[in-house]
Amino acid sequence: MIYLAQTDTTAGFLSKDFKAINRLKNRPENTPCLIATAYLSELLTLARVPRKFKNYVRRAQKTTFIYPNAKAIRVVKWGKHAKFLAQKGWLYSSSANSHGENFNEKWAKQAILKSGGIVIDEHFHAAKPSKIFKLSKNKKIKIR
């Protein structure tokens, strides 16, 4: 099942199956998607946070971290999107646009309905995407 929802940053596709998201976006099936969750405890089951960055990760907002196990994970703590994620656990997430294109609400709604997915929200907006940092044991590198 794929969902179209307004995330904490921008309109996005969400699913437990990242390959389904990639097919919907017309991009290679094995392209990785970030993982969104509402709980720090869920993050700890998915990746190990380097000791040096534990406080930084806990306090960060609208930020995705790529952990040493190569998983990109964002913890959403507030708002409607966090409540949705709390019901579903963790979900793969990607912006709601065709690969390499800007957000188009009409295209996103048509694509999600054609795939048998569910539209969660009624109003969408494209906003600034999350910041992305790659973490290693001792380094933090800004990706976006």
Side-chain angles (χ1 to χ4, degrees), residues 88-100:
K88 302 292 181 187
W90 63 268
L91 292 171
Y92 288 106
S93 177
S94 184
S95 58
N97 54 10
S98 185
H99 183 60

Side-chain angles (χ1 to χ4, degrees), residues 63-76:
T63 305
T64 300
F65 294 98
I66 302 172
Y67 293 94
N69 67 354
K71 289 186 179 178
I73 304 168
R74 182 170 75 238
V75 178
V76 181

Side-chain angles (χ1 to χ4, degrees), residues 5-143:
Q6 182 64 44
T7 69
D8 59 327
T9 54
T10 191
F13 293 128
L14 301 144
S15 178
K16 286 282 188 184
D17 180 8
F18 75 94
K19 290 182 179 184
I21 292 173
N22 289 333
R23 281 190 300 273
L24 187 65
K25 289 178 58 103
N26 298 317
R27 67 182 185 186
E29 267 194 17
N30 290 327
T31 302
C33 292
L34 70 88
I35 298 171
T37 182
Y39 299 111
L40 281 168
S41 58
E42 188 81 39
L43 163 65
L44 298 177
T45 67
L46 298 168
R48 185 185 161 280
V49 180
R51 180 182 302 268
K52 183 175 181 176
F53 301 108
K54 286 188 181 211
N55 282 336
Y56 186 74
V57 169
R58 191 177 76 242
R59 292 182 179 141
Q61 293 183 25
K62 297 185 180 183
T63 305
T64 300
F65 294 98
I66 302 172
Y67 293 94
N69 67 354
K71 289 186 179 178
I73 304 168
R74 182 170 75 238
V75 178
V76 181
K77 300 172 187 148
W78 316 109
K80 188 176 177 182
H81 188 54
K83 290 177 185 174
F84 176 72
L85 288 171
Q87 294 171 352
K88 302 292 181 187
W90 63 268
L91 292 171
Y92 288 106
S93 177
S94 184
S95 58
N97 54 10
S98 185
H99 183 60
E101 301 291 325
N102 291 326
F103 175 68
N104 179 329
E105 185 174 343
K106 184 177 177 182
W107 177 88
K109 285 182 177 179
Q110 286 176 346
I112 198 74
L113 294 174
K114 201 180 284 186
S115 72
I118 298 174
V119 178
I120 301 298
D121 296 307
E122 291 188 25
H123 302 287
F124 299 96
H125 64 277
K128 183 179 176 186
S130 65
K131 296 175 276 186
I132 299 176
F133 290 97
K134 185 172 185 174
L135 302 179
S136 66
K137 188 174 181 180
N138 295 310
K139 285 194 235 175
K140 175 180 72 170
I141 300 168
K142 186 173 184 170
I143 305 296

